[in-house]
């Protein structure tokens, strides 16, 4: 029982991290109608910028975080101006842009591999203290991960739901031509979606890399977690993405309860896929017209 | 000479893998990232049948292909509920699950330590032991696949598949059953990939899970993108180009730890540039949507 409680707590922390990633993936996906594979690149760029600032340049942590977020924002703008915007101007199909985005992920992770090496890099840090909440023990970093990611996910959700620019992002995804006809500031909307996406990906990236380190090829795994969570929750529903992430985190915890921990990812993905097969629209997905059915 | 033969074997194997992906992606328009799953299933199943179960090659090969077909059928059941991006995510998830099984099911696959001591196949008493004879066998099988593929591409089935790719609703209204046709395509594709996997297992005599990760699926997809899909020549050209690339880098004399990532950087850039300028690839008939 105590083990189960502990695993549920770990699952909640993992769920909060993945919720941010799913939102970072989903906002770009929802606004551009592009499968944002380069989200994985965004993740590793933030991690390695943090590593370069904190471990190589020996900056204080707070400064290193700012540097990493700035680098991540610059990378998001590079993706937008060098790839996504030209593809959108040319009205390239979604699959075409997705493969270009996959190309960007491959290029990025290998540039990082050449620069920093293929092996796992960790940022040296003092051991994190741990806190007991009843039978559950969490490290201080885990508490931070949960609090910061849950808060960021909630705030970004409010921005998306309430602000003018957030609604404009959704409108762009629904009717790109109408958005153009209405003279909405497309450039600004697109840049906002990319930057908000970059922030939502980078914050969990930094917190994960501070904990377990990083390797240049981990982007694909996080992309899969984020996209799986987003599609599981319902691909057009912001709060659904959070629910999908929570389901993924708890499924991983449930697996570890009964099986050796190396099966966590494998079995959790299989479980989610199994549920999704019976509900292809995702938990909170809405029905669509036949010609745009998923 | 051994080097040339090695390249020829690789071209034969990847030609088959690219053809396998071409059936699902180029003809069906189903953007799958799970080709390496069936490649791996073929390799491990053949290894297990021939080493652990002690079957002869003449029995293990057909059984492996049948196993690939079965896996393809299960795969179709699990993923054909989805289309477009959701299908791609589902195939990525299947690929991740398959890799997890290859890596963690140590009792059967050897896990990270790999599966050693797979013998070269023998047929009617002749052992394909020498590099030359094995290379000839692989190339013959690849050629046979090309001929079969040519035959396949002219059948009603391939036409139905291409119609579905262009407009599923319209095709369904003409009486083409989408899921049944797609499932048949995925099964066919899985059989071809499993055959390549079995050949790979006896070629290198040792299989480990890293060769069947999602990166391998992406690599095979890249062959289709570069060469083009939806016909026979595109994937073969793509396979030849992407296999020649590292060899060219090696001749320039780059150290291995730079040449590996550099090769990937080049093909990553190729994907971006080709998608922008030439979405049908160099010799393809179909632009991925």
């Amino acid at each position: 029982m105590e083990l189960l409680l502990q695993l549920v707590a770990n699952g909640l922390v993992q769920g909060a991290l993945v919720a941010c990633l799913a939102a970072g993936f989903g906002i770009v996906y929802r606004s551009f109608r592009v499968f944002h594979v380069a989200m994985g690149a965004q993740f590793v760029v933030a991690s390695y910028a943090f590593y370069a600032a904190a471990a190589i340049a020996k900056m204080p942590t707070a400064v290193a975080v700012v540097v990493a977020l700035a680098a991540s924002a610059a990378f998001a703008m590079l993706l937008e101006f060098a790839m996504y915007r030209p593809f959108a101007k040319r009205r390239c199909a979604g699959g075409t842009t997705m493969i270009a985005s996959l190309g960007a992920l491959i290029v990025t992770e290998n540039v990082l591999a050449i620069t920093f090496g293929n092996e796992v890099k960790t940022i040296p840090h003092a051991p994190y203290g741990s806190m007991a909440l009843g039978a559950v023990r969490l490290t201080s970093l885990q508490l931070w991960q949960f609090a910061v990611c849950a808060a960021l996910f909630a705030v970004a959700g409010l921005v998306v739901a309430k602000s003018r620019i957030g609604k404009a992002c959704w409108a762009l995804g629904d009717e790109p031509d109408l958005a153009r006809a209405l003279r909405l500031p497309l450039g600004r909307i697109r840049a906002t979606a990319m930057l908000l996406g970059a922030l939502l990906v980078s914050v969990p990236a930094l917190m994960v890399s501070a904990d377990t380190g990083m390797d240049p090829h981990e982007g694909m795994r996080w992309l899969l977690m984020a996209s799986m969570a987003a599609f599981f929750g319902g691909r057009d529903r912001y709060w659904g993405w959070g629910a999908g992430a929570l389901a993924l985190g708890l499924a991983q915890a449930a697996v570890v309860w009964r099986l050796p921990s190396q099966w966590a990812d494998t079995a959790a993905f299989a479980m989610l896929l199994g549920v999704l097969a019976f509900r292809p629209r995702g938990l909170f997905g809405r029905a669509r017209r036949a010609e745009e059915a998923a | 000479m051994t080097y040339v033969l090695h390249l020829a074997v690789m071209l034969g194997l990847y030609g088959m893998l690219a053809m396998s992906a071409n059936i699902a992606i180029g003809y069906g328009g189903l953007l799958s990232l799970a080709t390496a799953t069936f490649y791996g299933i073929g390799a491990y199943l053949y290894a297990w049948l021939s080493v652990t179960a002690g079957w002869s090659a003449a029995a293990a090969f057909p059984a492996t292909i049948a196993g690939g077909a079965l896996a393809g059928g299960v795969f179709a059941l699990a993923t054909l509920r989805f289309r477009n991006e959701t299908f791609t995510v589902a195939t990525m998830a299947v690929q991740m699950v398959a890799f997890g099984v290859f890596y963690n099911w140590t009792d059967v696959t050897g896990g990270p330590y790999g599966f050693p001591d797979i013998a070269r196949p023998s047929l009617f008493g002749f052992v394909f032991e020498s590099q030359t004879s094995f290379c000839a066998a692989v190339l013959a099988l690849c050629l046979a696949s090309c001929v079969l593929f040519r035959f396949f591409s002219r059948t009603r089935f391939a036409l139905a598949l291409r119609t579905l790719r262009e407009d599923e609703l319209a095709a369904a209204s003409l009486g083409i059953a989408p899921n049944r046709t797609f499932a048949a395509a995925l099964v066919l594709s899985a059989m071809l990939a499993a055959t390549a996997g079995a050949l790979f297992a006896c070629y290198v005599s040792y299989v480990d899970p890293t060769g069947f990760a999602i990166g391998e699926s992406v690599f095979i997809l890249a062959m289709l993108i570069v060469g083009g899909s939806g016909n026979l020549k595109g994937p073969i050209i793509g396979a030849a180009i992407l296999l020649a690339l590292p060899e060219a880098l090696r001749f320039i004399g780059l150290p291995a730890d730079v040449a590996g990532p550099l090769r990937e950087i080049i093909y990553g850039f190729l994907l971006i540039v080709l998608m922008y300028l030439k979405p049908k690839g160099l010799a393809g008939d179909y632009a991925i949507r």
Side-chain angles (χ1 to χ4, degrees):
Chain A
M1 194 60 208
E2 267 152 38
L3 174 66
L4 185 62
L5 276 178
Q6 178 67 49
L7 290 171
V8 167
N10 293 351
L12 289 175
V13 173
Q14 174 81 352
L17 290 166
V18 176
C20 274
L21 295 174
F25 166 84
I27 283 175
V28 177
Y29 170 71
R30 185 63 184 72
S31 316
F32 296 7
R33 289 290 171 203
V34 162
F35 193 93
H36 185 33
V37 183
M39 184 227 109
Q42 195 85 59
F43 188 97
V44 281
V45 164
S47 300
Y48 275 91
F50 188 47
Y51 173 77
I56 298 178
K58 305 254 186 296
M59 295 178 193
T61 308
V63 182
V65 168
V66 174
V67 169
L69 291 180
S72 179
F75 181 72
M77 288 295 94
L78 177 69
L79 285 178
E80 161 68 355
F81 284 105
M83 187 174 71
Y84 283 150
R85 194 166 298 184
F87 272 83
K89 280 215 173 111
R90 203 169 239 229
R91 293 173 175 262
C92 291
T96 314
T97 317
M98 171 186 164
I99 288 168
S101 190
L102 183 62
L105 171 62
I106 296 170
V107 171
T108 309
E109 59 185 28
N110 284 291
V111 168
L112 290 174
I114 289 183
T115 318
F116 294 97
N118 255 322
E119 67 284 2
V120 173
K121 287 272 188 291
T122 50
I123 297 166
H125 58 77
Y128 299 110
S130 72
M131 267 176 60
L133 306 160
V136 175
R137 270 200 107 70
L138 289 173
T139 65
S140 58
L141 182 67
Q142 279 183 307
L143 290 174
W144 275 106
Q145 286 176 334
F146 181 77
V148 171
C149 288
L152 180 63
F153 178 76
V155 170
L158 289 178
V159 168
V160 163
K162 303 288 175 202
S163 76
R164 216 180 125 76
I165 194 119
K167 289 177 186 168
C169 286
W170 251 234
L172 181 64
D174 284 334
E175 295 286 348
D177 287 325
L178 191 61
R180 209 166 281 129
L182 291 173
R183 299 246 177 98
L184 289 176
L186 286 187
R188 218 164 68 213
I189 298 171
R190 293 182 62 97
T192 310
M194 278 308 279
L195 287 176
L196 193 57
L199 180 71
L200 281 161
V201 172
S202 306
V203 169
L206 301 190
M207 301 188 107
V208 168
S209 53
D211 194 12
T212 51
M214 64 205 84
D215 83 272
H217 301 288
E218 68 181 334
M220 192 54 118
R221 174 169 171 261
W222 291 106
L223 164 77
L224 186 59
M225 293 234 241
S227 55
M228 195 69 186
F231 282 76
F232 187 76
R235 55 188 199 161
D236 286 343
R237 308 294 296 267
Y238 186 92
W239 302 108
W241 302 336
L246 213 55
L248 183 57
L250 291 177
Q252 286 171 329
V255 174
V256 178
W257 190 36
R258 285 291 175 225
L259 288 174
S261 63
Q262 70 263 29
W263 286 98
D265 277 11
T266 309
F269 278 127
M271 278 158 72
L272 258 60
L273 199 59
V275 176
L276 207 52
F278 290 99
R279 206 177 152 73
R281 280 181 269 128
L283 291 183
F284 299 99
R286 290 198 183 97
R288 295 162 150 267
R289 293 196 302 274
E291 71 269 22
E292 47 176 43
Chain B
M1 191 58 196
T2 340
Y3 173 70
V4 175
L5 288 175
H6 169 73
L7 284 184
V9 169
M10 282 300 156
L11 182 63
L13 289 179
Y14 278 96
M16 290 166 82
L17 289 170
M19 255 186 276
S20 153
N22 190 21
I23 296 173
I25 300 170
Y27 280 81
L30 297 167
L31 190 46
S32 162
L33 277 174
T35 317
T37 300
F38 303 105
Y39 184 37
I41 287 175
Y44 277 113
L45 188 58
Y46 180 83
W48 190 83
L49 286 175
S50 68
V51 177
T52 315
W55 290 21
S56 70
F61 257 104
T64 303
I65 298 173
L70 192 67
V74 175
F75 173 68
L77 273 181
T79 57
L80 280 177
R81 304 274 295 160
F82 317 112
R83 292 290 185 274
N84 303 329
E85 297 97 341
T86 322
F87 176 81
T88 307
V89 174
T91 63
M92 283 162 76
V94 168
Q95 171 68 61
M96 225 60 168
V97 169
F99 178 76
V101 172
F102 297 151
Y103 198 87
N104 293 322
W105 196 13
T106 39
D107 295 346
V108 172
T109 65
Y113 307 110
F115 198 125
D117 303 328
I118 306 156
R120 288 278 165 91
S122 66
L123 199 62
F124 308 120
F126 180 77
V127 185
F128 291 87
E129 188 62 59
S130 74
Q131 190 81 345
T132 322
S133 64
F134 191 77
C135 176
V138 169
L139 288 183
L141 272 173
C142 182
L143 202 66
S145 315
C146 286
V147 172
L148 281 176
F149 192 92
R150 185 100 185 140
F151 172 73
F152 150 82
S153 68
R154 289 175 178 177
T155 54
R156 228 181 100 87
F157 167 58
L159 200 58
L161 206 53
R162 275 165 55 199
T163 316
L164 279 170
R165 170 188 89 188
E166 296 304 324
D167 190 336
E168 188 173 330
L169 268 189
S173 78
L174 293 173
I176 299 168
N179 280 347
R180 215 181 312 153
T181 315
F182 279 143
L186 291 179
V187 167
L188 205 58
S189 159
M191 286 164 74
L192 198 49
T195 312
L199 286 172
F200 176 74
C202 19
Y203 177 58
V204 295
S205 82
Y206 164 89
V207 285
D208 80 311
T210 49
F212 313 112
I214 193 159
E216 191 70 11
S217 288
V218 172
F219 184 58
I220 298 164
L221 172 70
M223 292 178 169
L224 277 195
I225 303 294
V226 171
S229 58
N231 58 16
L232 177 59
K233 61 180 187 244
I236 306 288
I237 293 174
I241 292 176
L242 284 196
L243 288 174
L245 190 63
E247 308 309 322
L249 289 177
R250 203 187 332 220
F251 275 115
I252 304 174
L254 287 169
D257 57 331
V258 177
L262 190 63
R263 176 193 86 161
E264 306 226 342
I265 290 173
I266 292 174
Y267 92 68
F269 266 118
L270 261 179
L271 292 189
I272 304 179
V273 172
L274 276 174
M275 282 296 101
Y276 191 68
L277 298 176
K278 214 166 163 25
K280 283 186 178 171
L282 297 176
D285 286 345
Y286 168 63
I288 284 163
R289 276 189 300 273

